[in-house]
């Protein structure tokens, strides 16, 4: 590839490269979300903000080994980290659970939500998603940033039919203020009530 290539897509990133031959090649990374994981009859949508570096490298939702998401899903639905990734996704879908992220893309160095550059945010197309998944009645936000971005950037009218919204403690290892057992109980209450 030469320095004049406009865009390279790799592992969840868009690497924008300067097309000017007289300037040094400058690059900025835009983190891209994954496609939603959702059966047509999904009833609950779990929303994160945008994938972290470990997830982008593994091309899997919640791939960081210290993220509590899959251990919690293992205890609630048998979708434990030891199961192959496709099987975990199937188990969630069989229980009416869908996964996605609020942001389609954004600039964020590293994995911390606090480092998201608000000026670069592009939100996912929730109107289309809800058209294809009309049975969703509950949104569960995996952490404060997911809820904040959804409320700020997603059109509230697109989700007016959603009866319940739960902001849960982030499963990220960066949210270490809450013990695993407490996170598990909060997630259990939101997903199994």
């Amino acid at each position: 590839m030469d320095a004049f290539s406009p865009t390279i897509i790799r592992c969840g990133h868009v690497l924008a490269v300067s097309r000017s031959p007289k300037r040094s090649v400058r690059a900025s990374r835009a983190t891209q979300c994954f496609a939603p994981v959702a059966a047509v009859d999904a009833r609950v949508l779990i929303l994160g903000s945008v994938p972290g570096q470990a997830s982008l490298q593994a091309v899997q939702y919640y791939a960081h080994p210290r993220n509590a998401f899959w251990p919690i899903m293992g205890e609630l639905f048998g979708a434990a980290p030891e199961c192959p990734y496709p099987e975990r996704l199937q188990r969630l879908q069989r229980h009416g659970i869908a996964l996605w992220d609020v942001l389609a893309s954004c600039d964020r160095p590293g994995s911390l939500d606090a480092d998201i550059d608000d000026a670069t945010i592009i939100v996912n197309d929730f109107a289309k998603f809800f058209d294809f998944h009309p049975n969703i009645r509950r949104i569960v936000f995996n952490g404060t940033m997911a809820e904040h971005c959804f409320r700020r950037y997603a059109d509230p009218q697109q989700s007016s039919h959603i009866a319940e919204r739960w902001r849960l403690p982030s499963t990220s290892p960066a949210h270490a203020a809450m013990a695993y057992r407490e996170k598990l109980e909060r997630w259990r209450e939101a997903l199994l009530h």
Side-chain angles (χ1 to χ4, degrees):
M1 183 191 83
D2 61 50
F4 301 101
S5 299
T7 304
I8 307 160
I9 297 178
R10 189 192 65 152
C11 224
H13 293 286
V14 173
L15 179 59
V17 180
S18 171
R19 295 185 64 145
S20 171
K22 295 183 179 182
R23 296 186 188 129
S24 63
V25 174
R26 294 175 296 124
S28 77
R29 288 184 181 251
T31 301
Q32 305 279 301
C33 85
F34 302 131
V37 174
V40 175
D41 61 347
R43 298 176 311 280
V44 176
L45 173 60
I46 298 174
L47 288 174
S49 54
V50 68
Q53 295 300 312
S55 292
L56 293 169
Q57 289 170 358
V59 192
Q60 296 181 4
Y61 280 98
Y62 305 106
H64 192 287
R66 290 191 342 242
N67 193 301
F69 184 82
W70 290 114
I72 289 171
M73 294 303 112
E75 294 204 44
L76 300 181
F77 305 110
E82 300 78 35
C83 295
Y85 182 69
E87 185 178 328
R88 285 183 266 159
L89 298 179
Q90 289 173 356
R91 288 182 185 203
L92 292 183
Q93 290 177 77
R94 280 196 299 266
H95 285 93
I97 308 271
L99 294 178
W100 206 16
D101 288 306
V102 176
L103 305 181
S105 71
C106 66
D107 283 350
R108 178 183 67 184
S111 294
L112 295 176
D113 283 346
D115 293 335
I116 292 172
D117 179 354
D118 287 353
T120 65
I121 286 176
I122 298 172
V123 71
N124 273 314
D125 186 347
F126 286 98
K128 185 183 285 186
F129 180 84
F130 291 131
D131 283 347
F132 283 102
H133 303 91
N135 296 327
I136 291 187
R137 293 292 177 259
R138 184 180 313 153
I139 296 176
V140 174
F141 299 103
N142 189 349
T144 303
M145 183 59 88
E147 180 189 37
H148 167 77
C149 289
F150 185 83
R151 290 185 187 278
R152 182 170 181 191
Y153 300 108
D155 180 359
Q157 299 304 323
Q158 295 175 7
S159 62
S160 60
H161 71 284
I162 304 297
E164 298 178 52
R165 297 174 193 212
W166 293 65
R167 180 183 69 217
L168 294 178
S170 173
T171 59
S172 167
H175 182 62
M178 185 179 289
Y180 172 79
R181 284 283 160 211
E182 188 176 347
K183 287 182 185 183
L184 173 62
E185 290 313 310
R186 298 273 306 278
W187 279 82
R188 181 188 314 277
E189 181 184 356
L191 296 176
L192 298 179
H193 93 281

